[in-house]
Amino acid sequence: MFSHVMVGADDIDAAKKFYDATFAAFGGPEAITDPKGRLIYMHNGSMFIVTKPINGEAACGANGGTIGFRMNPEQANAWHAAGVANGGTACEDPPGPREGSPYYLAYLRDPAGNKLCALDIIA
């Protein structure tokens, strides 16, 4: 259903450091930088794009919004550790299975405040 996800960032260098590290943790490639300076990550037929806001205003994370990436628990742990080590912030509960649900989850905020989630269905 989705062709791509795009998030805003004011500091593209900080975003590249964060996303290159977190995507490498689950086997994704480094970014391709297009002529407009946007970071483009392509993996398993999907695209994730990071850009300075086109309207010239400051980037901000969507309040209540979360972008989820499907990966196994080992990848999720590596992804979370890489994110924290490269400018991200842990949020929600620590990575792990969630009581009463079939999910293994890990949450981060990127340097611009976008909320991200690694998810696996374990039940």
Side-chain angles (χ1 to χ4, degrees):
M1 177 189 303
F2 301 107
S3 63
H4 67 282
V5 173
M6 182 181 287
V7 297
D10 294 322
D11 186 340
I12 295 297
D13 291 334
K16 184 170 185 346
K17 178 182 176 187
F18 174 84
Y19 283 109
D20 280 359
T22 58
F23 282 32
F26 65 84
E30 289 187 9
I32 297 167
T33 303
D34 77 2
K36 294 184 179 185
R38 296 178 290 207
L39 305 175
I40 301 172
Y41 295 88
M42 294 183 283
H43 186 63
N44 292 338
S46 297
M47 284 194 309
F48 184 83
I49 305 165
V50 183
T51 186
K52 288 190 176 200
I54 295 169
N55 65 4
E57 295 183 20
C60 63
N63 188 19
T66 302
I67 298 166
F69 298 97
R70 185 78 182 258
M71 57 187 86
N72 67 42
E74 293 78 21
Q75 292 170 322
N77 290 339
W79 172 86
H80 190 270
V84 171
N86 287 278
T89 306
C91 61
E92 303 279 336
D93 293 328
R98 296 303 189 254
E99 188 175 328
S101 82
Y103 303 118
Y104 188 99
L105 300 168
Y107 287 94
L108 288 170
R109 288 202 181 268
D110 74 5
N114 296 296
K115 187 176 177 184
L116 311 169
C117 175
L119 175 142
D120 190 24
I121 300 172
I122 54 176

